[in-house]
Amino acid sequence: MNRPRPAGGEDKITIDANRRALAAQGLRDLALLDTPPEEVFDRITRLAARLLDAPVALVTFVDFEGDRQFFKSRFGVGDLSQTPLTHSFCQLVVKTEAPLIVSDAQHDPRVSDNPAVSELGVSAYLGAPLLSLEQLPLGALCVIDRKPRAWTGLDLELLADLAQLAQREIGFRQEFRRRQGAEARLGVSEADFAMLAASIPQLAWMADAQGSIFWYNQRWFEFTGKTMADMKGWGWRSVHHPDHEAAVVAKISRCFETGEDWEDTFPLRGADGKYRWFLSRAKPIRDAAGRPVRWFGTNTDITDRLEAEERQALLTREIDHRAKNALAVAQAVVRLSKADDAQSLKQVIEARVSSLARAHRLLADSRWEGADLRQLLREELAAFGGEDPGRVTLNGPHILLRAATAQSIALVFHELSTNAVKHGALSAPGGKLEVTWDDPGGGDLRMTWLEDSPLGIKAPERSGFGTTLLEQIVQRQFGGSMDNDWTPRGLHCRFTIPATAVPSFEVSPARADERTGRASILLLEDDSLIAMDMEDRIRKLGYKVIGPAATLQEARKLAGATPLDGAVLDGNIDGETSVGLAGELAEAGIPITFCTGYERIEDLPERLQSTPILRKPVSEAALAGALAAMTAQRLRV
């Protein structure tokens, strides 16, 4: 379907003189100008007026050579058969070869100065182009309202479908003239109209005044795989979903009784046995006394639209989750960063947040499918001016880090790079760095960070933030192994991240040890930086932290071996929900608090509906309140 042109701006004439001349010749050859009304077109304008509830409907052919527009079929304008082009809205449809939507002509700069507004009372206009077989614009099918009106997308879709019927009639005439070599007029009967209507995109049907359906278009039979014998009368109920059938029947029966327009949304079963969702509408065709004598209905497939809306809602939730998680990570960076003075602390925090931002940008560039390991290293080293190919060697296969791990790995590289540039091999001339990675088998990632300084390097007296972070990520989050070796020539760091998780296990009701005096809180969080921050904050509030666990399996193992007074569970662990674990702990009498970046936890069973939720980033007061509530609940058990 052609898209409507936006309101405002000057009309751009897209039909050139040659196409205009060809269109004019076509109008003459087909005897569409200055000829009496014909039932085939009159039926279409009547349907357009009734189905769109408009007082005026016209089949208009635009005669540029005669500086006029001719109404081949007119409904609601009396004997008016033509107007000069000065009074024409339809010429804009022909010039642009696209639909025209005018909601309020007096305030639409494209037509506000058209004399038809004041002289003929045109206020709202909806027009669709009528094209020849050669796609030459001949005129328009339009409906007009004498008061402002907000046309809907379904209004335009229905008008375009009816315009297709008029175009088909025009095409038939062209084909007839080509084959017969003489002017002819096709007489279109009710049966012919049914054949034409069968070609519209929607499923369509007609019913008598009582709602008994006597005609379907071909698309209905193609979709349902049924025959007219199956569907006649109220047989259509057999393809309705049993969960919706009663409500649909009740609503449409009420409309058949009252004569009100009908609209509903429900699934229909196709010939393949699968259900698809349809937006269905029907309008009564009334006699001179206003009584419904027939009903014309359509079923528009909206399954794809509904799925797109669902994907959009999911995307919105995911964006919200990622934004809150990013804030929680940034919060953890600020809390865990330390320096000797305020200026140094500012620089440390800015550098670490910038590292997160670089990883985030790489993930955004890949639509969050992952981040390239080599590019992550290059950008981190480049931030320190340490990407000199003569001093830095990066060697390994192409590896795409998952979005869930890229930011954590980026912080590890940041800390290692910071140390190498400020204190390690890249801090003095002649120093070199070699980073290699490979897959030792089974999809594992093995990395080696080798610094080589000719001036010698003094090992640090204590482990810093980078070392602690590396241990948290490699060993706790991923269940891997690592080895740090400070040699006289610099740091040699080796670590392996496994591709598979540890086996699953069940929560044991047995307690492995006695109470220590402090309440024990199980912490489940798969982001290492957030886990470090939460662990530090919970301990400072006077609680014993069990974990933190980075996987559901690890959390179950800790819960089965340690007495617990409560549990703080990240709602989403590497794409897997923690609801199952929460249910197991609740069954064992252990109070639960969820901690998540999502607005809500999906698919919570009834017994967990009242479970408290901490939303990231978590405030100190909210965390303290949740811990106090859990321990108080535990004491009452």
Side-chain angles (χ1 to χ4, degrees):
M1 181 188 301
N2 291 323
R3 295 182 180 273
R5 293 178 289 106
E10 296 182 358
D11 294 305
K12 180 180 179 181
I13 298 178
T14 60
I15 174 172
D16 60 25
N18 183 52
R19 285 171 61 76
R20 186 179 299 177
L22 291 173
Q25 184 63 45
L27 290 173
R28 290 192 296 270
D29 291 345
L30 296 172
L32 293 173
L33 295 175
D34 302 316
T35 53
E38 300 178 41
E39 179 62 18
V40 62
F41 293 115
D42 290 347
R43 185 181 293 114
I44 292 172
T45 53
R46 288 199 302 270
L47 278 174
R50 291 170 182 172
L51 294 179
L52 277 76
D53 195 23
V56 177
L58 302 169
V59 170
T60 304
F61 295 114
V62 178
D63 179 13
F64 287 105
E65 294 181 350
D67 194 29
R68 61 172 180 153
Q69 60 178 1
F70 173 71
F71 303 144
K72 179 61 178 174
S73 177
R74 55 188 183 272
F75 179 92
V77 295
D79 296 331
L80 184 64
S81 62
Q82 65 179 21
T83 70
L85 288 184
T86 55
H87 292 61
S88 175
F89 283 34
C90 292
Q91 66 170 317
L92 302 181
V93 178
V94 172
K95 289 177 178 179
T96 58
E97 303 182 37
L100 174 65
I101 301 175
V102 176
S103 297
D104 188 348
Q106 290 186 345
H107 297 91
D108 192 317
R110 298 171 297 178
V111 295
S112 58
D113 59 351
N114 191 304
V117 178
S118 58
E119 297 177 14
L120 301 179
V122 177
S123 182
Y125 174 97
L126 181 65
L130 298 177
L131 307 177
S132 68
L133 290 178
E134 299 82 12
Q135 297 300 297
L136 294 171
L138 304 178
L141 171 64
C142 69
V143 288
I144 295 171
D145 210 325
R146 295 191 174 92
K147 60 181 182 298
R149 175 172 176 177
W151 303 102
T152 68
L154 287 174
D155 290 336
L156 178 58
E157 185 176 352
L158 181 56
L159 186 70
D161 290 338
L162 293 174
Q164 288 290 325
L165 298 181
Q167 284 188 185
R168 186 177 291 271
E169 168 64 17
I170 295 169
F172 282 162
R173 297 187 182 204
Q174 287 185 276
E175 287 294 336
F176 186 84
R177 289 185 59 82
R178 289 173 183 173
R179 295 175 184 178
Q180 300 300 323
E183 292 186 359
R185 180 181 179 275
L186 287 177
V188 181
S189 65
E190 290 293 335
D192 296 323
F193 172 72
M195 182 272 293
L196 294 176
S199 66
I200 65 175
Q202 293 103 333
L203 312 184
W205 47 270
M206 296 185 75
D208 62 22
Q210 290 72 43
S212 178
I213 297 179
F214 59 84
W215 173 86
Y216 293 93
N217 68 348
Q218 186 59 32
R219 289 187 182 275
W220 175 278
F221 298 122
E222 291 172 354
F223 174 76
T224 62
K226 301 294 185 178
T227 65
M228 188 62 206
D230 300 324
M231 296 286 99
K232 192 173 181 179
W234 292 73
W236 50 266
R237 298 175 62 171
S238 65
V239 297
H240 275 250
H241 194 286
D243 293 345
H244 298 263
E245 180 187 350
V248 172
V249 170
K251 185 173 182 179
I252 197 171
S253 297
R254 186 167 59 252
C255 291
F256 286 151
E257 292 173 3
T258 63
E260 298 174 359
D261 291 356
W262 172 71
E263 182 175 310
D264 206 348
T265 303
F266 46 77
L268 293 174
R269 187 178 66 249
D272 58 0
K274 298 179 180 178
Y275 285 92
R276 293 185 67 83
W277 282 87
F278 286 83
L279 173 63
S280 302
R281 300 198 310 171
K283 285 180 174 288
I285 301 172
R286 303 179 186 273
D287 60 17
R291 294 184 296 267
V293 293
R294 287 185 179 179
W295 288 80
F296 181 80
T298 59
N299 307 89
T300 303
D301 191 332
I302 59 171
T303 305
D304 294 340
R305 189 187 80 186
L306 293 178
E307 291 176 350
E309 291 173 352
E310 185 176 346
R311 288 193 297 271
Q312 183 63 36
L314 179 62
L315 177 61
T316 301
R317 289 183 57 249
E318 189 61 27
I319 290 174
D320 182 57
H321 166 67
R322 288 176 178 171
K324 291 177 179 177
N325 224 48
L327 289 172
V329 171
Q331 181 187 62
V333 166
V334 174
R335 289 180 180 276
L336 296 171
S337 296
K338 296 178 175 60
D340 295 332
D341 54 69
Q343 183 61 30
S344 299
L345 179 62
K346 176 184 175 183
Q347 293 174 351
V348 168
I349 291 174
E350 285 181 346
R352 287 171 178 165
V353 171
S354 295
S355 175
L356 289 173
R358 286 189 291 273
H360 190 278
R361 181 177 59 78
L362 288 177
L363 290 171
D365 289 344
S366 71
R367 297 179 180 270
W368 286 83
E369 292 180 358
D372 181 74
L373 176 61
R374 184 186 300 273
Q375 187 64 22
L376 200 64
L377 278 163
R378 282 177 175 170
E379 297 212 3
E380 200 56 56
L381 290 165
F384 294 94
E387 59 172 345
D388 182 353
R391 303 184 65 191
V392 176
T393 302
L394 304 179
N395 187 22
H398 170 73
I399 290 181
L400 193 67
L401 295 173
R402 290 184 302 163
T405 64
Q407 287 186 319
S408 297
I409 294 295
L411 277 176
V412 171
F413 291 156
H414 172 77
E415 298 303 323
L416 291 172
S417 300
T418 301
N419 180 76
V421 170
K422 291 185 176 181
H423 311 292
L426 300 183
S427 63
K432 295 184 178 181
L433 168 65
E434 180 181 9
V435 183
T436 61
W437 62 91
D438 62 7
D439 177 2
D444 294 349
L445 172 63
R446 179 172 59 191
M447 294 198 67
T448 304
W449 178 284
L450 298 178
E451 297 183 25
D452 185 10
S453 174
L455 303 182
I457 298 295
K458 182 180 179 181
E461 296 179 357
R462 59 182 177 84
S463 296
F465 178 83
T467 302
T468 303
L469 182 62
L470 184 61
E471 292 173 350
Q472 285 279 345
I473 291 174
V474 174
Q475 295 178 332
R476 289 193 175 183
Q477 182 172 340
F478 301 119
S481 60
M482 62 167 290
D483 177 41
N484 281 341
D485 183 17
W486 283 94
T487 72
R489 297 184 69 88
L491 173 65
H492 290 185
C493 178
R494 299 174 180 83
F495 59 89
T496 300
I497 298 176
T500 57
V502 296
S504 60
F505 38 80
E506 301 298 326
V507 176
S508 170
R511 297 297 184 185
D513 54 14
E514 297 297 325
R515 300 277 179 180
T516 61
R518 290 191 300 164
S520 298
I521 304 298
L522 172 66
L523 175 60
L524 171 63
E525 172 59 61
D526 61 349
D527 187 291
S528 294
L529 200 60
I530 297 176
M532 292 171 62
D533 177 49
M534 290 288 286
E535 178 183 16
D536 180 64
R537 294 164 67 185
I538 292 172
R539 282 185 174 147
K540 286 180 179 178
L541 289 169
Y543 298 87
K544 178 182 178 181
V545 176
I546 306 303
T551 66
L552 292 168
Q553 293 87 345
E554 183 183 0
R556 285 191 170 94
K557 181 182 292 185
L558 292 172
T562 311
L564 297 177
D565 296 290
V568 177
L569 308 180
D570 187 356
N572 185 290
I573 302 297
D574 195 20
E576 187 177 357
T577 178
S578 62
V579 170
L581 173 61
E584 297 165 10
L585 296 176
E587 190 70 24
I590 299 171
I592 305 299
T593 296
F594 287 112
C595 184
T596 180
Y598 288 107
E599 190 62 27
R600 62 181 183 274
I601 305 293
E602 297 289 346
D603 300 324
L604 278 178
E606 185 175 354
R607 71 175 185 277
L608 296 179
Q609 289 290 331
S610 60
T611 303
I613 298 178
L614 293 172
R615 291 184 172 82
K616 301 176 182 178
V618 180
S619 69
E620 203 72 31
L623 178 60
L627 295 173
M630 285 194 294
T631 52
Q633 178 183 347
R634 185 61 169 162
L635 290 174
R636 294 194 297 268
V637 175

